[in-house]
Amino acid sequence: MTILVTGGAGFIGANFVLDWLSAGGEPVVNLDKLTYAGNLANLASVSADPRHHFVQGDIADQAAVESLLATHRPRAIVHFAAESHVDRSIHGPGDFIQTNVVGTFRLLEAARGHWQSLPSGEREAFRFLHVSTDEVYGTLAETDPAFSESTAYAPNSPYSASKAASDHLVRAWHHTYGLPVLTTNCSNNYGPFQFPEKLIPLMIANALEGKPLPVYGDGGQVRDWLFVGDHCEAIRTVLARGRPGEVYNVGGNAEKRNLEVVHALCDALQALRPRDGGYRDLVAFVADRPGHDRRYAIDARKIRDELGWSPRESFASGLARTLRWYLANAEWVAQVRSGEYRRWIERNYEKRVPR
Ligand code: NAD
Ligand code: DAU
């Protein structure tokens, strides 16, 4: 038995593959296009493991996916592959529509053909798990209740609109064709191997070089933070015990304002790698993200009550683990910050005038 993971060379996908194999899971076929966000160095520790089979390819290449499915006959597909960065979706939405919408459509079609070809016992056991985001629900005011699985969709960025579209396709393939799908909508992840375009690793990398820490707008936006290892465990739980056709919200019980996150990071870094005067004075308020969602919050009672999953890490313990990982992996950071990364930083930050 095998499982097919898409996007398993990215941040969450690679963490998932490593967790899955170390927990004794079945062999993994890992399909990843290796965009700027995909990095085989994330998988270095399993490069010689015969249970990990990496294939460079595009989820939108339906014939290639069909051939992979026919060869490996996976019992499940765990779908991480996506364009994932909101700021990039504002600069260039085309890739988001292509991968997140068209790519998911083609993957679903290939999965449907594979599923229909399976003998009845295997058909019943087959699962397509779609990894999605809390951003599909839009934005909350300070006192609004957290997003539940029945909150109406109201995506506000090209990224979240493309993820919302993919969620609807996944839902429809279950409702219309009976494909046994599961969808998880998760809050902000952080942890090892996160590409330093996202808030936490970007701030760590800048702080260590004494560069400004660019906080968008007033820094009062709220996100819920989930340590990536907890997310991987939630996905394993939903895959094992989730009910086909159901949606599960996944959160870290850690709502924080962005400025609070940056300050916590500065203070934790000061304890590990002291800097004269500390790191907080590097904070620089810069022009806001267009259409910036003010607050996300997750009501994760369904996955807790039905499947018994809750996050293990607090924000403080997860942040400390993350900082220690980035400090111990300076070479990984240097490698991913060369080339394309530099062009992105110029594009996103140079025209952001300080507030
Ligand atoms: P990431 O950007 O770090 O990695 C995405 C991976 O997908 C990369 O390895 C990339 O090469 C691959 N990929 C992109 N286009 C592809 C294509 N057409 N075919 C095959 N592979 C392709 O993303 P991430 O942060 O690890 O997010 C993984 C998934 O989780 C995404 O679906 C994202 O929407 C979702 N998600 C992320 C977060 C978060 O905080 N990072 C939170 C909730 C949900
Ligand atoms: O909520 C889940 C989502 O979390 C995922 O679906 C996305 O794939 C993931 O990228 C993440 O989206 P965000 O936009 O919330 O994450 P990001 O790390 O880009 O930003 C977090 C917050 O920090 C957000 O309010 C914007 C702010 N920010 C971000 C950057 C990169 C800054 O203030 N300065 C920055 O330089």
Side-chain angles (χ1 to χ4, degrees), residues 57-76:
D58 190 335
I59 54 165
D61 182 347
Q62 194 175 321
V65 178
E66 282 168 353
S67 151
L68 263 188
L69 294 173
T71 305
H72 297 281
R73 299 176 61 78
R75 62 125 178 134

Side-chain angles (χ1 to χ4, degrees), residues 21-323:
L21 293 176
S22 76
E26 301 107 319
V28 172
V29 178
N30 184 350
L31 173 65
D32 195 297
K33 189 177 173 185
L34 295 182
T35 66
Y36 78 93
N39 185 354
L40 285 178
N42 300 354
L43 298 159
S45 64
V46 293
S47 62
D49 189 327
R51 294 174 303 158
H52 179 237
H53 179 68
F54 183 79
V55 179
Q56 184 170 6
D58 190 335
I59 54 165
D61 182 347
Q62 194 175 321
V65 178
E66 282 168 353
S67 151
L68 263 188
L69 294 173
T71 305
H72 297 281
R73 299 176 61 78
R75 62 125 178 134
I77 297 174
V78 185
H79 176 34
F80 294 96
E83 289 293 335
S84 69
H85 190 35
V86 174
D87 291 321
R88 286 188 192 251
S89 83
I90 295 166
H91 286 274
D95 287 347
F96 288 73
I97 304 306
Q98 176 58 28
T99 285
N100 301 359
V101 185
V102 178
T104 299
F105 158 64
R106 300 235 192 275
L107 184 68
L108 280 166
E109 279 295 81
R112 180 162 73 97
H114 167 63
W115 170 68
Q116 282 171 338
S117 76
L118 293 172
S120 68
E122 289 177 36
R123 262 180 74 132
E124 270 155 40
F126 182 80
R127 297 288 182 271
F128 182 104
L129 192 153
H130 174 59
V131 180
S132 192
T133 170
D134 58 2
E135 300 202 11
V136 298
Y137 300 121
T139 188
L140 294 169
E142 291 280 315
T143 54
D144 284 344
F147 301 133
S148 77
E149 290 79 1
S150 57
T151 300
Y153 273 36
N156 289 318
S157 72
Y159 163 70
S160 54
S162 69
K163 290 296 288 187
S166 69
D167 293 8
H168 292 323
L169 293 174
V170 169
R171 177 189 158 90
W173 260 240
H174 174 71
H175 192 77
T176 303
Y177 304 113
L179 188 70
V181 305
L182 300 154
T183 296
T184 54
N185 291 87
C186 180
S187 58
N188 285 60
N189 283 220
Y190 65 102
F193 301 115
Q194 187 166 31
F195 194 82
E197 64 188 354
K198 307 280 166 63
L199 181 74
I200 288 183
L202 179 109
M203 295 295 173
I204 297 172
N206 281 16
L208 288 173
E209 291 188 335
K211 288 185 175 164
L213 307 180
V215 172
Y216 296 167
D218 64 1
Q221 302 79 11
V222 175
R223 297 289 181 269
D224 171 64
W225 293 94
L226 176 69
F227 186 69
V228 66
D230 281 332
H231 187 193
C232 293
E233 191 179 49
I235 292 171
R236 288 205 306 272
T237 305
V238 172
L239 187 61
R241 300 200 297 280
R243 288 180 292 132
E246 291 293 315
V247 173
Y248 296 90
N249 281 359
V250 183
N253 297 330
E255 270 188 66
K256 306 255 172 258
R257 292 184 195 286
N258 291 340
L259 193 56
E260 259 183 273
V261 169
V262 175
H263 281 162
L265 192 151
C266 288
D267 298 348
L269 200 53
Q270 183 65 11
L272 294 169
R273 182 78 57 93
R275 173 179 189 267
D276 277 352
Y279 290 92
R280 284 193 184 207
D281 65 356
L282 294 174
V283 169
F285 292 93
V286 299
D288 209 348
R289 172 186 279 175
H292 201 170
D293 285 337
R294 190 70 185 169
R295 173 176 166 241
Y296 305 142
I298 285 270
D299 176 346
R301 278 178 294 182
K302 180 174 173 182
I303 187 170
R304 184 195 67 195
D305 296 347
E306 264 190 32
L307 306 181
W309 175 88
S310 300
R312 292 174 194 272
E313 298 285 349
S314 68
F315 184 67
S317 66
L319 187 63
R321 281 181 70 170
T322 304
L323 278 171

